[in-house]
Amino acid sequence: MLTRRGFLKGGGLALFGIGLLGGIPAFIAEAAAREKVTRLYKKGKVLVCIFQRGAMDGLMAVTPFADPYLQAARPTLFMTPAKGGSAAPLIDLDGRFGLHPAFQAFEPVFRDKRLAIVHGIGSPNNTRSHFDAQDYMESGTPFDKATPSGWLNRAVGLLGHDALTPFSAVSLSSAMPRSLYGDNPAVAISNLQDFAIQMKGNPLGANMAAKSFEDLYDQTAPGLLKQTGQESFEAVKMLQKTDIRNYKPAGNAQYPNSALGSALKQIAQLIKMDVGLEIAFTECSGWDTHFGQGTTAGVFARSATDLADSVMAFWTDLDTYQDDVTLMTMTEFGRTVHQNGTGGTDHGRGSCNFILGHDTSGGLVHGELKPLAQENLEDGRDLPVSTDFRAVFSEVADRHLRIAGERVLFPGWNGNPIGVMRQA
């Protein structure tokens, strides 16, 4: 049985919310009931979210290198901006914080005040379970496991117009992420090329009488809003006709040959096609660094290089679309202040995130970090969460997408923004 949160899977495709089974597309029927047509495919603002699954070590990503307590806690993992050694040093951002050299691609946009960093960000729920922490962050309700929708799906409903396009909210992933669960339209696509081929080859099943989306549209009940439905079909046809495989990024952007690089490349294509994309999601893994974390080489450095290079290729590729896009990273929690006995770090609390865009309060490390003396640590071992993730997520959504209504976007949240976005 297909529900509005159900999946149609096959060839890397997962659809829900747009209701393409059951004869009448649900989004067309709902539009007919409202008897109005809204703007669908005009170029607008886009929020891109990347979930760093596994819990990134924020203290290694953006290191408070002047803190003697951190140096003592990490005898083999601690890094400094001092030059002259055999390994690449930290990139000194402000005399206090140093960016890991694997994130060096971020330095120009930080200096240009396009990249903001929030340190000490995390959830008020102190769980150290990956599954629970990710679920709480994606639902946006850190103390309620029963929340049926995700915060990004609720954002779709608060965009100020009827999100009828099939591509309003897209996840470049093999399955629908928790953050896009809900009643508003969303689609998960693992590969745009496969998606277009499936659409062209009638993915609705051999038993469906319709031979094309236009046939399906023509068979719908009288009185439906034909204009709205036809616009949706035009978006699908546009995707079918696009030479996705031979796409040439702008500015000679070089995407890494990785899952994240591929996902961001496809998100850039969707943005440039003007098919109505407003919220995009993707994810990367490799951040659960219990052992072999390394400094300039190792698990952490490989994941950091992929993230930074993928994001900056995406940013370069956007070219004239940069004004309309904000990109934000997130991770479920951070790592312990002290390294463990296997050259890694264990599940902790506070971490950091990156926000890239022309309307960010960039060139700054936001948030509060006290000296990492044991008496200042949570449970005597972790960087405390000084910034609730909802303060940042709601501010980014409000200032960039012009979404008002934090109480709907994040039920139970009554905090304040931290100034990570510039005032309009």
Side-chain angles (χ1 to χ4, degrees):
M1 176 180 179
L2 181 73
T3 66
R4 286 185 62 82
R5 205 166 70 234
F7 296 156
L8 170 63
K9 291 186 177 178
L13 170 65
L15 288 165
F16 78 108
I18 59 176
L20 286 172
L21 293 181
I24 301 175
F27 68 90
I28 299 177
E30 291 170 2
R34 287 189 292 267
E35 294 184 351
K36 58 184 177 182
V37 179
T38 58
R39 172 192 66 77
L40 293 179
Y41 305 125
K42 181 180 178 181
K43 186 171 80 170
K45 298 294 184 180
V46 183
L47 174 62
V48 179
C49 294
I50 302 174
F51 206 116
Q52 297 171 258
R53 300 200 186 277
M56 182 186 73
D57 185 356
L59 291 172
M60 176 161 272
V62 182
T63 302
F65 59 83
D67 192 321
Y69 299 104
L70 182 61
Q71 183 173 4
R74 297 186 170 195
T76 65
L77 295 182
F78 183 77
M79 301 173 65
T80 77
K83 297 178 173 62
S86 58
L90 293 176
I91 300 164
D92 190 343
L93 296 178
D94 57 7
R96 181 188 179 192
F97 291 101
L99 187 67
H100 191 283
F103 285 118
Q104 63 181 334
F106 282 163
E107 184 182 7
V109 284
F110 183 86
R111 304 294 186 201
D112 199 34
K113 299 184 179 180
R114 299 293 181 239
L115 180 72
I117 299 168
V118 181
H119 222 314
I121 188 173
S123 172
N125 190 307
N126 63 4
T127 180
R128 290 177 176 84
S129 160
H130 289 298
F131 179 82
D132 288 341
Q134 290 178 22
D135 189 79
Y136 287 134
M137 186 167 282
E138 293 196 71
S139 69
T141 53
F143 294 101
D144 187 357
K145 289 280 286 184
T147 305
S149 61
W151 79 274
L152 285 175
N153 191 276
R154 295 194 294 275
V156 175
L158 292 171
L159 286 171
H161 59 82
D162 297 322
L164 301 178
T165 158
F167 303 108
S168 288
V170 176
S171 176
L172 263 294
S173 56
S174 59
M176 194 66 68
R178 178 71 174 83
S179 53
L180 281 172
Y181 282 17
D183 291 332
N184 294 299
V187 58
I189 308 168
S190 62
N191 186 288
L192 278 181
Q193 185 175 359
D194 291 345
F195 180 85
I197 291 171
Q198 288 243 341
M199 287 294 189
K200 199 168 186 177
N202 184 17
L204 302 180
N207 294 328
M208 180 82 63
K211 296 179 181 178
S212 67
F213 278 88
E214 286 86 347
D215 291 339
L216 174 63
Y217 172 75
D218 289 339
Q219 292 173 17
T220 57
L224 296 180
L225 290 180
K226 296 266 181 174
Q227 181 180 351
T228 301
Q230 191 61 41
E231 285 178 339
S232 294
F233 296 134
E234 288 303 318
V236 172
K237 288 166 65 178
M238 186 186 301
L239 187 61
Q240 292 172 355
K241 294 176 182 178
T242 301
D243 187 3
I244 296 168
R245 179 187 293 275
N246 295 313
Y247 171 73
K248 301 296 184 185
N252 296 316
Q254 298 293 320
Y255 287 93
N257 185 23
S258 66
L260 179 61
S262 175
L264 287 175
K265 182 178 181 180
Q266 293 176 81
I267 289 172
Q269 291 180 67
L270 285 174
I271 291 172
K272 292 181 178 183
M273 288 168 60
D274 293 332
V275 292
L277 181 67
E278 293 177 278
I279 293 175
F281 179 97
T282 192
E283 56 197 12
C284 57
S285 59
W287 302 100
D288 196 14
T289 51
H290 285 286
F291 58 88
Q293 182 167 323
T295 52
T296 56
V299 177
F300 183 92
R302 287 194 296 271
S303 298
T305 299
D306 180 43
L307 177 67
D309 289 355
S310 296
V311 167
M312 292 317 301
F314 170 76
W315 193 245
T316 300
D317 188 9
L318 287 182
D319 194 28
T320 58
Y321 285 78
Q322 288 180 2
D323 285 343
D324 300 314
V325 178
T326 291
L327 180 146
M328 178 173 68
T329 68
M330 59 194 73
T331 194
E332 64 263 38
F333 45 71
R335 318 296 297 186
T336 51
V337 173
H338 287 77
Q339 68 179 73
N340 60 28
T342 58
T345 50
D346 298 319
H347 297 180
R349 291 286 286 117
S351 187
C352 69
N353 79 327
F354 303 98
I355 306 165
L356 174 64
H358 288 179
D359 49 3
T360 64
S361 183
L364 297 171
V365 179
H366 300 261
E368 177 187 1
L369 259 73
K370 294 181 179 179
L372 297 172
Q374 187 168 2
E375 62 268 22
N376 292 332
L377 304 184
E378 185 169 330
D379 297 332
R381 52 170 265 172
D382 295 326
L383 174 68
V385 171
S386 55
T387 298
D388 190 310
F389 72 87
R390 293 171 293 182
V392 176
F393 293 8
S394 61
E395 182 178 354
V396 171
D398 178 26
R399 300 283 166 80
H400 183 66
L401 294 176
R402 300 295 185 262
I403 289 178
E406 292 88 348
R407 305 301 181 268
V408 177
L409 192 58
F410 295 102
W413 166 246
N414 56 8
N416 297 309
I418 67 168
V420 74
M421 301 293 284
R422 290 187 285 108
Q423 295 286 346

